[in-house]
Amino acid sequence: MMYNQFLATGGLWLNLSGTEILIDPGPGCIVQAAKRKLKAEKLSAIILSHRHLDHSADINIMAEAMTQGGFKRHGRLFAPADALETEPVIFSYIRELVDGVEMLEEGKSYSIGNISFTTPVRHIHPVETYGMVFRTAQHTFSLITDTLYFDGLSKHYSGELLIINVVFLEPRTPVDHPSMPIDHLSVPDVERIIVELKPKVAILTHFGMGMWRAKPWETAQKLTDKTGVKVIAARDGMRFNLSQLDES
Ligand SMILES: [Zn+2]
């Protein structure tokens, strides 16, 4: 998906009562943001869930843009240790430009203005990564980033809204695909998680090619029918207003 850009890989842009936060600026983020008139200099923070390219490729340029090329020291970066230490994906000169760099760790909580978020549990993935639970004055929502399904995963991610990375239509085993990365969620995993968490709304994102060919909006509808939870397939440029959660 990343190589042919059938779907954009620019990440998620939050605007929580005026506090703007960018999560996982993958390849093309700068282009997608400019196209949508999202201003990097308005960001208060950039959060990187993990160092894989589809999440991190544009982190340096977005961080530099956040500081207006270094002219305005501003904004913070959050990333796991292995994105910052050996073979860092964030350049050291970029770290000098921002207002601070914080390491994401299991079970910790962080604040950005009047927004707080936690990284409750380390995921099963080839590199260090965590999902996030965000709390604003009005709402709580969770993001489950890349991971292999594991028992107890869902209990960390309650909230009114669940955003979840679903790469595969069907679970993959090392036997089927010995050379492929398999540490990702599939649709049956996501169904189980939605049933366990019962959010008001779930948004599926981060589709692999198989998901894309099967039409994510059809998968979302099937999950809605099966779980009774409103499930939406993300689209490029899609906006979701958290006030929608108050209607249901
Ligand atoms: Zn990954």
Side-chain angles (χ1 to χ4, degrees):
M1 193 53 85
M2 169 167 62
Y3 311 130
N4 57 42
Q5 292 285 306
F6 287 161
L7 290 172
T9 48
L12 281 77
W13 197 292
L14 310 181
N15 185 335
L16 304 169
S17 313
T19 300
E20 299 189 32
I21 300 167
L22 172 62
I23 302 174
D24 284 356
C29 182
I30 187 78
V31 175
Q32 298 294 336
K35 204 162 97 175
R36 297 184 165 84
K37 302 193 165 43
L38 296 165
K39 300 272 182 238
E41 66 258 32
K42 288 191 178 168
L43 288 168
S44 296
I46 302 174
I47 306 172
L48 182 64
S49 70
H50 66 291
R51 58 177 292 125
H52 280 155
L53 262 182
D54 50 338
H55 299 253
S56 71
D58 274 11
I59 191 148
N60 288 293
I61 192 162
M62 293 311 293
E64 194 176 284
M66 178 166 74
T67 66
Q68 298 181 37
F71 284 104
K72 275 200 175 155
R73 177 179 302 276
H74 160 77
R76 284 186 293 155
L77 299 175
F78 296 85
D82 82 343
L84 297 166
E85 289 170 348
T86 17
E87 198 190 35
V89 295
I90 304 173
F91 299 138
S92 51
Y93 80 91
I94 297 283
R95 294 186 216 184
E96 303 296 314
L97 306 179
V98 299
D99 220 9
V101 180
E102 287 189 56
M103 230 173 253
L104 299 178
E105 290 173 58
E106 184 174 71
K108 287 265 172 86
S109 77
Y110 306 87
S111 59
I112 303 165
N114 47 12
I115 307 305
S116 69
F117 76 96
T118 58
T119 43
V121 66
R122 184 170 176 162
H123 286 186
I124 301 175
H125 205 56
V127 299
E128 185 181 356
T129 188
Y130 308 93
M132 294 146 217
V133 180
F134 287 87
R135 283 187 182 80
T136 74
Q138 293 85 24
H139 298 104
T140 304
F141 62 95
S142 305
L143 167 64
I144 300 183
T145 53
D146 295 2
T147 188
L148 185 69
Y149 183 85
F150 57 91
D151 285 337
L153 169 64
S154 55
K155 75 165 190 254
H156 299 284
Y157 292 106
S158 58
E160 298 157 278
L161 168 69
L162 172 68
I163 305 165
I164 187 161
N165 287 2
V166 50
V167 171
F168 296 137
L169 203 54
E170 296 295 338
R172 296 207 182 170
T173 67
V175 183
D176 297 335
H177 297 273
S179 63
M180 287 191 68
I182 55 150
D183 290 347
H184 283 291
L185 296 173
S186 65
V187 171
D189 299 327
V190 169
E191 182 182 337
R192 178 158 35 164
I193 292 165
I194 291 172
V195 166
E196 285 172 6
L197 284 174
K198 285 273 179 243
K200 288 183 180 170
V201 177
I203 300 176
L204 313 180
T205 189
H206 207 60
F207 310 128
M209 283 304 296
M211 276 295 292
W212 179 239
R213 286 191 205 100
K215 304 187 174 94
W217 54 94
E218 290 186 5
T219 299
Q221 185 58 52
K222 282 178 202 156
L223 286 171
T224 298
D225 296 342
K226 278 185 168 175
T227 63
V229 170
K230 182 178 178 185
V231 181
I232 301 168
R235 305 180 306 274
D236 287 356
M238 186 181 92
R239 286 164 185 250
F240 182 88
N241 193 326
L242 291 176
S243 67
Q244 284 174 245
L245 297 168
D246 304 329
E247 292 158 16
S248 42

